[in-house]
Amino acid sequence: MSKPCKIEVTGVSKIFRKNGTNVAALSETNLAVEEGRFASIIGPSGCGKSTLFHIIAGLMTPTAGDVTVDGQSIVGKAGTVGYMLQKDLLLPWRTILDNIILGLEIRGIPRAQAVERALPLMKKYGLGGFETHYPTELSGGMRQRAALLRTLLYDRDILLLDEPFGALDAQTRLSMQNWLLEIWSDFGKTVLFVTHDIDEAVYLSDDIYVFSPRPGHIRAKITVPIGRPRKAEDLTAPRFMEMKHHLLDLLSAGQVQAEEIS
Amino acid sequence: MAMMNQETCYAARAADSEPRQKQEKVKFQVESYDGETQEKRRKHRVVTGRILVAVFLFVGWEFFTRIGWMDSYYWSCPSMILQTAWLQLTKGTLLQDIIYTSGSTLIGFVSGTLVGALLGLSFWWSKTYAGISEPFIIILNALPKLALGPVLVILFGIGFFSKAVLAFLMTVVTSAISAYGGVKSVDPALETLMVSLGAKRRQVFAKVVVPWSMPWIISSLRINIALALAGSIVGEFISSEQGVGRMIIYAGTILDINLVWVGVFVLSVLSILMYWGVILLEKWLSKRLAIISS
């Protein structure tokens, strides 16, 4: 708690107008993540997780509330955080290398310089030799790697990852999770990670924020007491199971409440 | 060849029937090898078949006009068409006519496709602007542009320019509609991605919208070349001093059926050549696409 908060979301609400009625997607969401921590957000689908990410990424303005990075408001400012969307969204007409340097290219960095920065990263993080391949030639896992490297190379202190491994099979998923943890510990970025896989959240995170169903707000913040670096054995440890049960209880409580309301 | 193989195979078996299994294996190999050559042979047969059908058609045409079953006055015949074509090429103005017609077609095609593509792409910039323009584009598309021919002749004269304008009008709308189709299909998530990477609208347009829409624009090329040619010819039909279209109309009025057929064949060949050219252009553009966008 001694460290200052890197990113702070205070009282963020978002109300959409649909067919003349107001629909609240987020209500009074608060969260604060310290620098270099890995925070996950879990919650039922449609609880406004993606809306929150859109607001943090500056693609959408909140109806109320504020988002600050290092104490500066970033509401409505796109490009201040690295945002990786659910799909890999690689441009099919570009090679993997050209996809990865897209962010640098947009910033106006000369190609040669961008390539110089991208190549060692690609080599180190399992994409060496795929520079001239096109996205369609790669497996789902490799495409996600490329998409994450693109976000990483965009070089922002905060990474928003919106269910990046949602579409992968279980085995690829686990190796990708380890891969992500490796990158995270190498770069010391502050990560906000959306998932609805409890195992994934516990395995990856320092802090887990549990979202309530729509209108979304933070129901609980839980700190994961498992040390790092984490190994596959941790997935079956009693402590892990305990966390998992606790989170399941929190999530299902939210579900019951939502059903009672509706 | 196959017969020979079989014969030698049988002979070998008769001569030495003991190691039968070995023989069987060898035979199997030969068969699988034959499967490959058979595919080649089939292709070969298809090509010969096509040529034969064409030859039969022309020989039959020639034959039936010669024996009087078909009236050569109406139907003409290949030998007379060839003769007329040669005469027109060497002594007449056929070559100039071909250049005239292909010139107006190509100018109309290139300018129409370019302007149309730019128009279609421009609709990405503003939904309001696109919404206002959409019904007019649809009306223009439904409008039989060829019917405007006489108006164009009055506006632009009976020269080369009116034909090029007609060819342009024929192609510009299809090209615009294709490009607009591409623009509308751009994955909104890609635009979101670009914005999240801090891209300005200009960058989203250049790096996502244009390359994304290219296949749509390219797919309109094949239709457009045929439309442009039709535009040029109809332009010449209406009134012209040169061109293959004018030659056909002229031949029709003086009842020179041979010359009409020459015109028809010349236009067919022209159309096929241009179509091939467009296919080459498509391939080239698709290849360039990756380079341009990166």
Side-chain angles (χ1 to χ4, degrees):
Chain A
M1 284 291 147
S2 57
K3 275 190 192 171
C5 283
K6 183 73 187 168
I7 178 163
E8 222 172 333
V9 175
T10 37
V12 164
S13 302
K14 179 72 189 178
I15 294 162
F16 291 107
R17 258 189 105 72
K18 232 178 208 171
N19 305 327
T21 53
N22 291 335
V23 181
L26 284 173
S27 77
E28 289 289 313
T29 305
N30 296 297
L31 58 85
V33 184
E34 289 153 39
E35 181 152 18
R37 278 180 90 81
F38 198 119
S40 285
I41 297 169
I42 59 171
S45 41
C47 70
K49 291 173 291 189
S50 294
T51 309
L52 178 63
F53 267 25
H54 268 64
I55 289 170
I56 296 175
L59 303 169
M60 204 184 257
T61 50
T63 317
D66 198 6
V67 181
T68 57
V69 168
D70 295 327
Q72 302 272 319
S73 174
I74 56 156
V75 166
K77 281 183 199 155
T80 43
V81 295
Y83 183 20
M84 180 177 166
L85 294 100
Q86 278 173 19
K87 288 188 278 177
D88 55 64
L89 296 175
L90 298 171
L91 303 178
W93 54 85
R94 282 174 170 243
T95 60
I96 295 299
L97 178 63
D98 283 325
N99 264 295
I100 287 177
I101 62 169
L102 182 65
L104 297 176
E105 194 183 306
I106 289 169
R107 260 202 266 157
I109 289 165
R111 198 188 128 88
Q113 213 175 314
V115 169
E116 210 174 287
R117 279 164 71 178
L119 285 179
L121 280 184
M122 288 182 77
K123 204 168 234 173
K124 187 164 182 211
Y125 297 110
L127 280 170
F130 288 102
E131 293 85 4
T132 54
H133 285 60
Y134 284 91
T136 45
E137 299 168 320
L138 265 65
S139 66
M142 289 306 233
R143 291 167 63 117
Q144 287 296 344
R145 278 176 196 232
L148 190 61
L149 281 190
R150 176 181 60 198
T151 317
L152 199 66
L153 206 64
Y154 185 54
D155 208 14
R156 293 290 182 255
D157 295 340
I158 299 163
L159 292 183
L160 306 182
L161 308 176
D162 190 354
E163 286 187 55
F165 309 140
L168 302 176
D169 59 88
Q171 219 164 348
T172 317
R173 218 174 161 147
L174 187 61
S175 73
M176 288 296 288
Q177 287 164 359
N178 289 326
W179 181 79
L180 175 62
L181 285 178
E182 189 191 333
I183 285 187
W184 173 67
S185 66
D186 285 355
F187 286 85
K189 305 259 181 197
T190 308
V191 174
L192 265 174
F193 190 93
V194 158
T195 179
H196 48 230
D197 181 339
I198 295 176
D199 282 13
E200 187 169 72
V202 177
Y203 186 59
L204 294 174
S205 323
D206 295 318
D207 304 309
I208 299 174
Y209 292 90
V210 183
F211 245 69
S212 72
R214 194 172 271 248
H217 60 272
I218 305 287
R219 173 180 295 281
K221 178 193 170 182
I222 290 161
T223 304
V224 180
I226 304 170
R228 293 193 188 266
R230 297 198 180 144
K231 298 172 228 55
E233 295 96 84
D234 292 330
L235 282 167
T236 47
R239 240 185 182 177
F240 190 94
M241 290 297 160
E242 225 170 83
M243 289 279 327
K244 205 173 148 179
H245 277 297
H246 186 45
L247 285 167
L248 269 173
D249 283 345
L250 278 169
L251 278 173
S252 61
Q255 210 64 43
V256 169
Q257 203 180 35
E259 272 159 23
E260 273 167 6
I261 292 167
S262 65
Chain B
M1 276 290 281
M3 283 291 284
M4 282 274 283
N5 271 343
Q6 245 173 359
E7 268 174 16
T8 48
C9 200
Y10 282 140
R13 189 176 289 183
D16 174 10
S17 61
E18 256 184 288
R20 209 187 194 130
Q21 285 219 289
K22 221 177 178 183
Q23 278 289 323
E24 219 69 43
K25 256 188 191 166
V26 169
K27 203 184 167 204
F28 179 73
Q29 273 179 352
V30 168
E31 264 174 8
S32 71
Y33 174 68
D34 265 356
E36 246 183 12
T37 48
Q38 247 166 18
E39 182 63 21
K40 260 186 199 166
R41 251 181 238 156
R42 196 185 57 79
K43 273 183 189 161
H44 190 72
R45 253 182 254 135
V46 167
V47 173
T48 0
R50 284 174 183 171
I51 293 168
L52 277 179
V53 169
V55 169
F56 268 124
L57 277 177
F58 283 103
V59 169
W61 186 1
E62 182 77 36
F63 179 72
F64 287 118
T65 39
R66 285 276 168 101
I67 63 168
W69 285 17
M70 282 162 87
D71 193 340
S72 65
Y73 181 77
Y74 299 109
W75 289 97
S76 184
C77 71
S79 60
M80 283 159 81
I81 294 169
L82 273 176
Q83 224 175 336
T84 318
W86 181 247
L87 204 72
Q88 287 295 323
L89 266 179
T90 48
K91 303 236 168 69
T93 55
L94 185 56
L95 210 57
Q96 280 141 270
D97 287 333
I98 291 172
I99 292 167
Y100 188 87
T101 305
S102 14
S104 59
T105 303
L106 288 179
I107 287 173
F109 167 73
V110 170
S111 56
T113 306
L114 275 180
V115 170
L118 289 177
L119 189 67
L121 288 172
S122 73
F123 291 144
W124 178 79
W125 286 90
S126 156
K127 284 220 166 99
T128 317
Y129 158 57
I132 292 170
S133 314
E134 203 165 356
F136 296 100
I137 293 287
I138 292 168
I139 290 168
L140 269 180
N141 189 40
L143 185 86
K145 266 101 26 203
L146 292 176
L148 286 175
V151 183
L152 293 178
V153 169
I154 293 164
L155 276 174
F156 301 107
I158 61 164
F160 184 79
F161 195 53
S162 61
K163 282 86 201 167
V165 169
L166 194 50
F168 168 85
L169 281 181
M170 291 291 283
T171 52
V172 71
V173 185
T174 36
S175 183
I177 287 175
S178 297
Y180 187 38
V183 163
K184 276 199 284 194
S185 73
V186 172
D187 186 351
L190 281 179
E191 289 181 41
T192 309
L193 167 83
M194 292 295 286
V195 175
S196 82
L197 290 172
K200 295 178 189 73
R201 265 172 84 69
R202 179 177 52 78
Q203 287 172 313
V204 180
F205 182 72
K207 292 185 195 300
V208 171
V209 177
V210 173
W212 179 281
S213 308
M214 270 317 265
W216 272 264
I217 295 168
I218 289 173
S219 77
S220 71
L221 294 181
R222 291 190 196 198
I223 313 163
N224 272 352
I225 191 71
L227 286 176
L229 185 61
S232 289
I233 294 166
V234 170
E236 288 168 8
F237 277 3
I238 293 165
S239 92
S240 179
E241 287 171 330
Q242 282 183 71
V244 184
R246 184 221 52 113
M247 187 187 86
I248 291 174
I249 287 291
Y250 166 76
T253 48
I254 61 164
L255 292 175
D256 185 347
I257 305 302
N258 296 332
L259 194 56
V260 173
W261 279 104
V262 168
V264 170
F265 279 114
V266 163
L267 286 180
S268 313
V269 171
L270 207 59
S271 163
I272 291 167
L273 286 179
M274 284 177 176
Y275 189 74
W276 281 345
V278 164
I279 289 176
L280 287 180
L281 180 70
E282 274 179 16
K283 279 188 183 156
W284 183 77
L285 278 176
S286 305
K287 244 187 221 166
R288 293 286 295 180
L289 198 63
I291 303 162
I292 291 167
S293 69
S294 65

